[in-house]
Amino acid sequence: MSFITKLFMIDCHEANNCCDKAQYKDAKPLEKFRLYLHLAVCKACRKYTQKNRKLSRMIKKSKLETCPEEKKKQWKEQITKTYVQDNV
Amino acid sequence: MPAHSLDPNKWVDKYSDYLFNYTIVRVNDREVANDLISETFLAALKSAKYFKGKASERTWLISILKRKIIDYYRKINSRKGKAEVKIHYSEDYNEGEWLEEQVPDQFDRTAEDEMENNELGLAILECLDSINEKHAAIFKRKTIDGADTEAICNEFGITPSNLWVIIHRARTALAACLEKNWF
Ligand SMILES: [Zn+2]
């Protein structure tokens, strides 16, 4: 295997990993390049990438939020307090 | 034995994000949403003895929350109603028609889309229920909160490669679940 091939060719497992990272803008330029190169020759990974992007779009569209930890703590305390009170 | 049982100590971890996202599009005010969720938990504890186990915990909590939201709007409307008698009695309208009655017409495409997107969000949270609790928490930190990989690794005591394996599994499971339940 030539040096170039070794540097740029990745397997499907690695390609999916790069694709996941790309969903979070965590893929480095080299990783992205390797991914695109792999996608050019691999139908299965093209399919995965398509599905993965769609999922990202859906999550973005849903505008989901999580409650702040602080608030959660407060609710937990409130529940514990009431729960214990009612069950003594 | 009933099909479902209650475990109040887990309510916050399991359902607070779901309840919050359900509420926020309906009341558009964080403060109010948080208060309604507080009231919902307390009301749920008070009526826990009437829980028959027919519905799931989540469905039951949502039914209580719905009543809290309706009560909240009733309170506002009765307050507003009194004020509006003096202000908004437009002469362009037929007798007895209120400006306020125009509001449902403005409930247009945008609002419809917003509700659909919200339902999608709730479906996503429901799907995340079926994966490992810690993995779901890591997925949410990364995907919904947009936290840094490094920060999450420190928080949960995992390596970046652990994180990406967890994220990959969560995304695959989520995509399959949505495929089944959403489309
Ligand atoms: Zn491949």
Side-chain angles (χ1 to χ4, degrees), chain B residues 4-170:
Chain B
H4 303 277
S5 58
L6 298 178
D7 188 358
N9 290 320
K10 292 208 163 157
W11 283 353
V12 174
D13 283 330
K14 277 173 106 172
Y15 308 117
S16 61
D17 289 335
Y18 190 95
L19 299 178
F20 181 80
N21 284 282
Y22 182 93
T23 315
I24 193 68
V25 289
R26 287 167 172 83
V27 300
N28 270 313
D29 183 315
R30 258 151 234 286
E31 202 84 359
V32 172
N34 285 336
D35 287 347
L36 290 173
I37 293 167
S38 262
E39 285 175 31
T40 299
F41 284 142
L42 290 182
L45 285 172
K46 291 231 162 66
S47 50
K49 49 180 176 291
Y50 304 113
F51 180 75
K52 298 227 173 57
K54 280 183 197 151
S56 71
E57 236 180 353
R58 185 210 313 277
T59 310
W60 184 68
L61 286 170
I62 284 286
S63 71
I64 296 171
L65 174 61
K66 268 184 196 162
R67 258 176 280 152
K68 294 284 168 201
I69 295 174
I70 292 169
D71 284 349
Y72 163 73
Y73 274 111
R74 265 199 203 126
K75 251 182 254 162
I76 298 189
N77 280 335
S78 67
R79 244 181 275 147
K80 239 202 216 158
K82 277 173 207 149
E84 232 115 277
V85 174
K86 289 172 231 149
I87 308 162
H88 290 313
Y89 210 35
S90 168
E91 285 170 15
D92 296 339
Y93 293 144
N94 297 330
E95 260 185 5
E97 238 179 50
W98 299 88
L99 269 184
E100 240 192 346
E101 285 173 346
Q102 297 296 311
V103 173
D105 294 334
Q106 289 162 14
F107 195 77
D108 55 9
R109 277 296 305 154
T110 332
E112 243 171 75
D113 283 347
E114 203 185 324
M115 277 326 261
E116 197 186 313
N117 290 340
N118 181 249
E119 268 166 40
L120 170 62
L122 298 176
I124 289 171
L125 291 177
E126 240 173 293
C127 280
L128 288 176
D129 256 7
S130 55
I131 69 171
N132 173 295
E133 222 172 289
K134 188 180 162 195
H135 292 185
I138 291 169
F139 176 82
K140 281 191 201 170
R141 288 287 289 135
K142 184 78 188 146
T143 315
I144 302 174
D145 301 342
D148 272 349
T149 300
E150 206 189 319
I152 300 171
C153 286
N154 287 335
E155 205 176 306
F156 289 88
I158 54 172
T159 66
S161 66
N162 289 154
L163 178 133
W164 290 112
V165 170
I166 290 165
I167 294 287
H168 182 75
R169 286 196 193 140

Side-chain angles (χ1 to χ4, degrees), chain A:
Chain A
M1 216 191 262
S2 77
F3 170 74
I4 298 286
T5 320
K6 246 192 258 169
L7 183 64
F8 294 124
M9 292 301 251
I10 49 173
D11 62 12
C12 293
H13 179 77
E14 190 59 35
N16 288 347
N17 181 247
C18 291
C19 174
D20 290 334
K21 285 183 181 170
Q23 304 310 308
Y24 299 91
K25 301 199 163 35
D26 269 8
K28 296 186 187 87
L30 180 61
E31 286 176 314
K32 268 202 213 158
F33 181 73
R34 285 173 177 152
L35 171 63
Y36 291 137
L37 209 63
H38 183 89
L39 292 183
V41 296
C42 179
K43 199 177 168 189
C45 286
R46 276 206 297 276
K47 210 171 163 193
Y48 177 75
T49 301
Q50 206 179 24
K51 246 172 95 172
N52 217 4
R53 282 188 190 143
K54 189 176 166 195
L55 182 64
S56 293
R57 278 198 302 273
M58 287 173 83
I59 293 166
K60 197 173 165 202
K61 212 169 75 169
S62 76
K63 296 205 180 100
L64 273 176
E65 285 179 59
T66 58
C67 303
E69 276 311 310
E70 223 176 295
K71 200 74 219 173
K72 287 187 181 177
K73 214 177 127 201
Q74 210 179 318
W75 284 328
K76 275 181 197 168
E77 278 163 11
Q78 186 191 29
I79 286 174
T80 316
K81 221 173 87 197
T82 316
Y83 197 39
V84 169
Q85 221 171 50
D86 290 356
N87 287 285
V88 171

